[in-house]
Amino acid sequence: MGAMKHQDDLFAFLSIPGVSAEAEHAADCERVADFLVEKLTTLGFSATKHMTKIHPIVVAHSPKVEGAPTVLVYGHYDVMPVDPIAEWKSDPFKPEIRDGRIYARGASDDKGEIMCHVLGAQEIIEEDGKLPLNVIYLFEGEEERGSYSLHEFVQDPEVQKDLACDVIVVSDTGMAAPDIPSLSYGLKGLCCFELKVEGPSMDLHSGIFGGAVANPITTLCEMIASTHDADNHVTVEGFYDGVQEIADWERESWARVPGASDTELAALTGVPALRTETGYTGTECAYARPTLELNGISGGYEGEGSKTVIPTHAIAKMSCRLVPGQDPVDIMKKVEAHFRKVCPPSVRMTYTMQHAGDAYIVDPHSPFGKAAQQALEMTFGNPPVLVREGGSIPIIAEISKKLKKDALFLGLDLPDARIHSPNENMRVEIFEKGIEMAKNLLRLMAQVK
Amino acid sequence: MGAMKHQDDLFAFLSIPGVSAEAEHAADCERVADFLVEKLTTLGFSATKHMTKIHPIVVAHSPKVEGAPTVLVYGHYDVMPVDPIAEWKSDPFKPEIRDGRIYARGASDDKGEIMCHVLGAQEIIEEDGKLPLNVIYLFEGEEERGSYSLHEFVQDPEVQKDLACDVIVVSDTGMAAPDIPSLSYGLKGLCCFELKVEGPSMDLHSGIFGGAVANPITTLCEMIASTHDADNHVTVEGFYDGVQEIADWERESWARVPGASDTELAALTGVPALRTETGYTGTECAYARPTLELNGISGGYEGEGSKTVIPTHAIAKMSCRLVPGQDPVDIMKKVEAHFRKVCPPSVRMTYTMQHAGDAYIVDPHSPFGKAAQQALEMTFGNPPVLVREGGSIPIIAEISKKLKKDALFLGLDLPDARIHSPNENMRVEIFEKGIEMAKNLLRLMAQVK
């Protein structure tokens, strides 16, 4: 087999170890940004590297096409750390094709997907001499560490003017199966908080004081248990205020998502059975029902064997995934009020609010949404499943809010792409179809009036 | 102020660092045993050092007094580790008297108390030429690490014959106040166990799978919350089978214990309010009500900030303090049955039984009990409060069972003695009265028919 089309470009891009979270890779992050600026400049774009407090942001404008729509394509050039490095079958920064897959850190998330968009534009320029519409690329280098600089960047009215567009396109989400494309039109919101329950001022002997003093672990467990009823509804007062019911067309679309039945989700996750909110499938809960999850708990003796103490305190780390209609800060306050209500007088509680991000939803049947659906169907041979993301990408919600335009998610991460894990990969077929999809998308969106 | 009476003996004894849990102190433990053998031999006892797999056991018999009762005095010559050493104001193994207190590791627990008994016998011998009854000293070197060797030792019928006695006396428990002596006639039993709840086979993204998959932490909390009702009764079926109600004389005696009111217990432990079983005071719960306590819990992310995962599992370490009438193994099985009943099908549970020890109770109004009460009242000027221990000393229950004789606990550990902590101490006054108490006890018990 000869070299894959565009292999040199992709491999050069994947070879630069732009791990945003690791200080020793700061210069590499800048090198990735430089690579993009150079590549886009070669294609005739006006490309700029904006320096930030952390890693640069790349903004590139195609030559102006009067009267045509403007599409902003978001992506992130930074990648996750590679640990555990011993589990990689090949060097994460020496891309390699094996068995029809490109292996490298960032092969899918998100360098591979950025390259599909850039190379799609390149092929159109090569074929037609120019793009049929205005394209803005916005590539950041901090997505895997919280998008701090981009969040700052888009607060600037001048930047908002520079990024003014008609629609935002993102390829940084999942794809159901190689022949079943996915269009995501919603993201969950998120808020994180911590609950600490404090009892005695020192660890107590469980014999001398047991039965007299509230056990902070037991009390914390009781408080946590009070957050859900037997139907797995969250019992926090007002939690569901403003939450929209799932529409019939959504239920129908989600039932088509491959691998997303309750039986398949149980097999995928290794649980003996799902436990969903009564009246909803697992996928419906993940896409469109708000949740309150325990992410961590600790307290007392956690070592080998036993130590019969009543500990001074116990802590739980929690988060809510939210849906449109819920305000993350409002929800954190409601959760606090719930805990204050159920907290017994025998302990002290401390509640700490951490970060928060809004949920996000757009209409996938808008003119640009329809163009995206059509581009996916043309490329992959099947209409896309219309899904929502269970995950949260707060920076997209923020950009969309600032630019006042919809963001559409055309995902190319297959379930077996191993993003964030060792042996991350992208199928060669998906890379090639991704380029095709980007071409179809730009041509179809050019026709939106 | 001149040297305290018997200071040389006590200080020599306290100076040997017999920390039983630390391998580097094995030779020191043997040196402490040798010290006791030598001291008791000097007093005319027939003293033997029995070697074991861990640390020696010292057994000493006074010269036979025909027709008189035999008292077995139990004690432990080993001490707890000294960490955190930086918090000691003087070297834990260089005894020092400051402000009326003897500071050293073991000053109270249990070397100081052993010495009171030995020196009491010495003074009687000095005054009367001989003891008025038969005394057996049984001093072990592993109490602070589980009494493994002594447990083995007393299984031997020859040893049981050698230790045959009429009553067992122990000074290794608490004393209410310097002028309020305490006689304990009961110990709680104990059983320890662990509950693990397992869900997904890997940590899951709380957005992608949240709402579909049971959260192992939430589930564990719900299972734990199900173990107590609103009255703080344990809801495990059959948990209270065989539990005796507290007798009126016990309630009355316990109400006299200084510092044991609900208000004082709350102040002592630093909790905003007690949380007792409905219908019982804190002290009643600690002395005589069985409990189910959480000693430790862990699961998911316990680091800084947040990590939005649904973890694979969560673990709780638990123990029950039991009262006479409850069998520890039976209780562990009942608790397991409870958890199996409430465990939902969406997780897997593993329940592990750990160690167990029986509860223990005797009649403090027996003839030897009355002699003990009288010895305490003569020495300290007030009748003793009759109490039960919330703690568990399984080895005493075992010895008592094997020798078929009552054990009485004449405690000398004041609440401010800081046993197991830095700056452990014994008041000089208590040391001197402890010797007096031992003398009174032997003389009074000699008269029991």
Side-chain angles (χ1 to χ4, degrees):
Chain A
M1 186 174 98
M4 186 180 68
K5 199 164 73 158
H6 301 295
Q7 181 171 315
D8 289 352
D9 271 337
L10 178 64
F11 278 26
F13 188 40
L14 293 175
S15 299
I16 314 170
V19 179
S20 56
E22 294 173 350
E24 67 266 37
H25 288 294
D28 294 318
C29 288
E30 196 167 344
R31 282 172 57 214
V32 198
D34 289 335
F35 175 93
L36 286 167
V37 168
E38 195 183 313
K39 174 76 190 168
L40 293 166
T41 303
T42 309
L43 296 183
F45 280 66
S46 158
T48 316
K49 177 175 72 172
H50 293 271
M51 299 310 286
T52 72
K53 285 179 191 153
I54 308 175
H55 303 308
I57 294 164
V58 173
V59 178
H61 290 265
S62 63
K64 187 75 188 161
V65 180
E66 288 297 339
T70 301
V71 177
L72 184 147
V73 178
Y74 162 91
H76 66 91
Y77 66 76
D78 63 319
V79 295
M80 284 291 281
V82 297
D83 277 334
I85 184 71
E87 292 183 21
W88 285 81
K89 291 202 183 117
S90 55
D91 187 323
F93 298 111
K94 287 190 182 146
E96 197 174 290
I97 297 175
R98 297 193 305 271
D99 302 327
R101 290 170 196 264
I102 306 146
Y103 285 91
R105 171 57 87 224
S108 271
D109 178 22
D110 189 33
K111 282 172 158 178
E113 289 159 313
I114 284 184
M115 260 301 159
C116 289
H117 282 281
V118 170
L119 294 168
Q122 176 177 325
E123 290 197 4
I124 294 178
I125 294 167
E126 286 167 0
E127 291 166 21
D128 304 345
K130 66 181 180 66
L131 291 171
L133 77 179
N134 300 291
V135 175
I136 305 172
Y137 289 120
L138 174 63
F139 297 142
E140 67 155 321
E142 297 171 28
E143 198 272 344
E144 303 293 9
R145 54 176 289 177
S147 300
Y148 173 81
S149 297
L150 184 54
H151 188 276
E152 293 285 290
F153 189 65
V154 298
Q155 305 308 310
D156 180 346
E158 286 304 309
V159 167
Q160 291 166 18
K161 228 165 99 182
D162 186 49
L163 298 180
C165 60
D166 298 296
V167 68
I168 300 159
V169 163
V170 182
S171 291
D172 191 25
T173 52
M175 174 175 188
D179 59 343
I180 309 283
S182 303
L183 179 67
S184 292
Y185 58 96
L187 296 171
K188 274 191 169 171
L190 177 68
C191 57
C192 299
F193 42 92
E194 198 174 280
L195 176 62
K196 182 176 185 180
V197 167
E198 288 176 284
S201 52
M202 73 221 93
D203 281 3
L204 297 179
H205 189 291
S206 77
I208 299 175
F209 297 100
V213 168
N215 186 307
I217 299 176
T218 311
T219 307
L220 178 63
C221 289
E222 288 167 349
M223 291 171 72
I224 290 168
S226 78
T227 60
H228 291 80
D229 66 16
D231 289 318
N232 291 308
H233 293 301
V234 175
T235 57
V236 170
E237 200 178 326
F239 189 77
Y240 294 99
D241 289 357
V243 173
Q244 299 288 310
E245 257 313 313
I246 299 168
D248 288 343
W249 69 264
E250 294 185 294
R251 286 193 185 247
E252 283 156 25
S253 178
W254 301 347
R256 281 182 52 224
V257 176
S261 71
D262 282 6
T263 316
E264 288 163 311
L265 282 181
L268 176 66
T269 56
V271 295
L274 293 195
R275 182 176 173 185
T276 65
E277 207 182 327
T278 303
Y280 299 93
T281 66
T283 294
E284 286 166 1
C285 289
Y287 286 178
R289 297 296 298 171
T291 59
L292 188 161
E293 293 287 352
L294 271 288
N295 305 124
I297 193 163
S298 62
Y301 181 68
E302 302 181 24
E304 283 294 302
S306 60
K307 186 177 179 190
T308 50
V309 291
I310 298 172
T312 54
H313 69 277
I315 298 178
K317 288 177 181 281
M318 289 175 255
S319 56
C320 288
R321 296 282 177 171
L322 304 173
V323 299
Q326 293 180 300
D327 173 68
V329 174
D330 174 59
I331 289 292
M332 284 199 282
K333 287 180 182 164
K334 286 173 171 164
V335 172
E336 175 170 13
H338 175 89
F339 285 133
R340 297 240 171 254
K341 195 175 67 187
V342 299
C343 182
S346 47
V347 297
R348 296 175 185 88
M349 69 164 264
T350 313
Y351 180 85
T352 312
M353 300 194 198
Q354 297 168 330
H355 56 279
D358 287 332
Y360 181 70
I361 195 162
V362 299
D363 178 6
H365 305 300
S366 68
F368 285 110
K370 282 186 185 157
Q373 290 188 46
Q374 204 184 337
L376 289 165
E377 181 166 357
M378 279 175 67
T379 310
F380 292 98
N382 285 304
V385 285
L386 303 180
V387 299
R388 295 203 217 162
E389 296 295 309
S392 311
I393 315 180
I395 189 64
I396 301 298
E398 183 68 17
I399 295 172
S400 175
K401 199 162 84 181
K402 290 297 175 207
L403 303 184
K404 300 183 181 65
K405 298 296 166 187
D406 285 1
L408 295 164
F409 300 84
L410 297 87
L412 294 174
D413 292 335
L414 280 175
D416 62 5
R418 302 184 58 89
I419 65 169
H420 292 205
S421 294
N423 305 308
E424 180 176 349
N425 66 82
M426 182 183 266
R427 297 190 195 203
V428 171
E429 172 202 350
I430 295 296
F431 177 62
E432 290 171 344
K433 287 203 171 160
I435 296 169
E436 196 61 30
M437 184 274 285
K439 289 168 71 174
N440 289 330
L441 184 72
L442 294 181
R443 284 173 168 153
L444 288 161
M445 284 191 164
Q447 293 161 34
V448 173
K449 295 298 160 202
Chain B
M1 185 175 97
M4 183 181 70
K5 199 164 74 158
H6 301 296
Q7 182 172 314
D8 290 352
D9 271 337
L10 177 66
F11 278 25
F13 188 39
L14 292 175
S15 299
I16 314 171
V19 179
S20 56
E22 296 173 349
E24 67 267 35
H25 288 296
D28 294 319
C29 288
E30 196 168 344
R31 282 173 58 215
V32 197
D34 289 336
F35 174 94
L36 287 168
V37 168
E38 194 184 314
K39 174 76 191 167
L40 292 167
T41 303
T42 309
L43 295 184
F45 280 65
S46 158
T48 317
K49 177 176 73 172
H50 294 271
M51 300 310 287
T52 71
K53 285 181 192 152
I54 309 174
H55 303 310
I57 294 163
V58 173
V59 178
H61 291 266
S62 62
K64 187 74 189 161
V65 179
E66 287 300 336
T70 302
V71 177
L72 186 147
V73 178
Y74 162 92
H76 65 91
Y77 65 75
D78 63 319
V79 296
M80 283 291 281
V82 297
D83 278 334
I85 184 70
E87 292 184 21
W88 286 80
K89 292 202 183 117
S90 55
D91 187 321
F93 298 110
K94 287 189 182 147
E96 198 174 290
I97 296 175
R98 297 193 303 273
D99 302 327
R101 291 170 195 262
I102 306 145
Y103 285 89
R105 170 58 86 224
S108 272
D109 178 22
D110 188 33
K111 282 172 158 179
E113 289 159 313
I114 283 183
M115 261 300 159
C116 290
H117 282 281
V118 171
L119 294 168
Q122 176 178 326
E123 292 197 2
I124 293 179
I125 294 166
E126 286 166 2
E127 291 167 22
D128 304 346
K130 66 182 179 64
L131 292 171
L133 78 178
N134 301 291
V135 175
I136 305 172
Y137 289 121
L138 173 63
F139 296 142
E140 66 155 322
E142 297 171 28
E143 199 272 345
E144 302 294 7
R145 53 178 288 177
S147 299
Y148 173 82
S149 298
L150 184 54
H151 189 275
E152 292 285 290
F153 190 65
V154 297
Q155 304 309 310
D156 181 347
E158 287 303 310
V159 168
Q160 290 166 19
K161 230 164 98 182
D162 188 50
L163 298 180
C165 61
D166 297 297
V167 68
I168 300 159
V169 163
V170 181
S171 290
D172 191 26
T173 52
M175 174 174 189
D179 59 344
I180 309 283
S182 303
L183 179 67
S184 293
Y185 58 96
L187 296 170
K188 274 191 171 171
L190 177 68
C191 57
C192 299
F193 42 91
E194 197 174 281
L195 175 63
K196 182 175 186 180
V197 167
E198 288 177 283
S201 51
M202 73 220 94
D203 280 4
L204 298 179
H205 188 291
S206 78
I208 299 176
F209 297 101
V213 168
N215 186 308
I217 299 176
T218 311
T219 306
L220 178 63
C221 289
E222 289 167 350
M223 292 171 72
I224 290 168
S226 78
T227 59
H228 291 80
D229 66 16
D231 289 319
N232 292 308
H233 293 302
V234 175
T235 57
V236 170
E237 201 178 325
F239 188 77
Y240 294 99
D241 288 357
V243 173
Q244 300 287 310
E245 257 312 313
I246 299 167
D248 287 344
W249 68 265
E250 294 185 293
R251 286 193 186 248
E252 282 156 26
S253 179
W254 302 346
R256 282 182 53 225
V257 176
S261 73
D262 282 5
T263 316
E264 287 163 310
L265 281 181
L268 176 66
T269 57
V271 297
L274 293 196
R275 182 178 174 185
T276 66
E277 206 181 327
T278 303
Y280 300 93
T281 67
T283 294
E284 286 166 1
C285 290
Y287 287 178
R289 296 297 297 172
T291 58
L292 189 161
E293 292 289 353
L294 271 287
N295 306 123
I297 193 164
S298 62
Y301 181 69
E302 302 181 23
E304 284 295 302
S306 60
K307 186 178 179 190
T308 50
V309 291
I310 299 172
T312 54
H313 69 277
I315 297 178
K317 289 176 181 283
M318 290 175 255
S319 55
C320 288
R321 296 282 177 172
L322 305 174
V323 298
Q326 292 181 301
D327 173 68
V329 174
D330 175 58
I331 289 292
M332 283 199 283
K333 287 180 182 163
K334 285 173 172 164
V335 172
E336 174 171 12
H338 176 88
F339 284 134
R340 297 239 172 254
K341 195 175 69 189
V342 300
C343 182
S346 47
V347 297
R348 296 173 185 90
M349 70 164 263
T350 313
Y351 180 85
T352 312
M353 300 193 197
Q354 296 167 332
H355 55 280
D358 288 332
Y360 181 71
I361 195 163
V362 299
D363 177 8
H365 304 300
S366 68
F368 284 110
K370 282 187 184 155
Q373 291 187 46
Q374 206 184 334
L376 290 164
E377 180 165 359
M378 280 175 66
T379 310
F380 293 98
N382 284 305
V385 285
L386 303 180
V387 300
R388 294 204 219 163
E389 296 295 308
S392 312
I393 316 181
I395 189 64
I396 302 298
E398 182 68 16
I399 295 172
S400 175
K401 200 162 83 181
K402 291 295 176 208
L403 303 184
K404 299 184 182 63
K405 298 294 166 190
D406 285 0
L408 294 164
F409 300 84
L410 296 87
L412 295 173
D413 292 335
L414 280 175
D416 62 3
R418 302 185 58 90
I419 66 168
H420 293 204
S421 293
N423 305 309
E424 179 177 349
N425 66 83
M426 182 184 266
R427 297 190 194 203
V428 171
E429 172 202 352
I430 295 296
F431 177 63
E432 290 171 344
K433 288 203 170 159
I435 296 169
E436 196 62 29
M437 184 274 285
K439 288 168 71 174
N440 290 329
L441 184 72
L442 295 180
R443 283 172 168 153
L444 287 162
M445 284 191 166
Q447 294 160 33
V448 173
K449 294 299 160 204

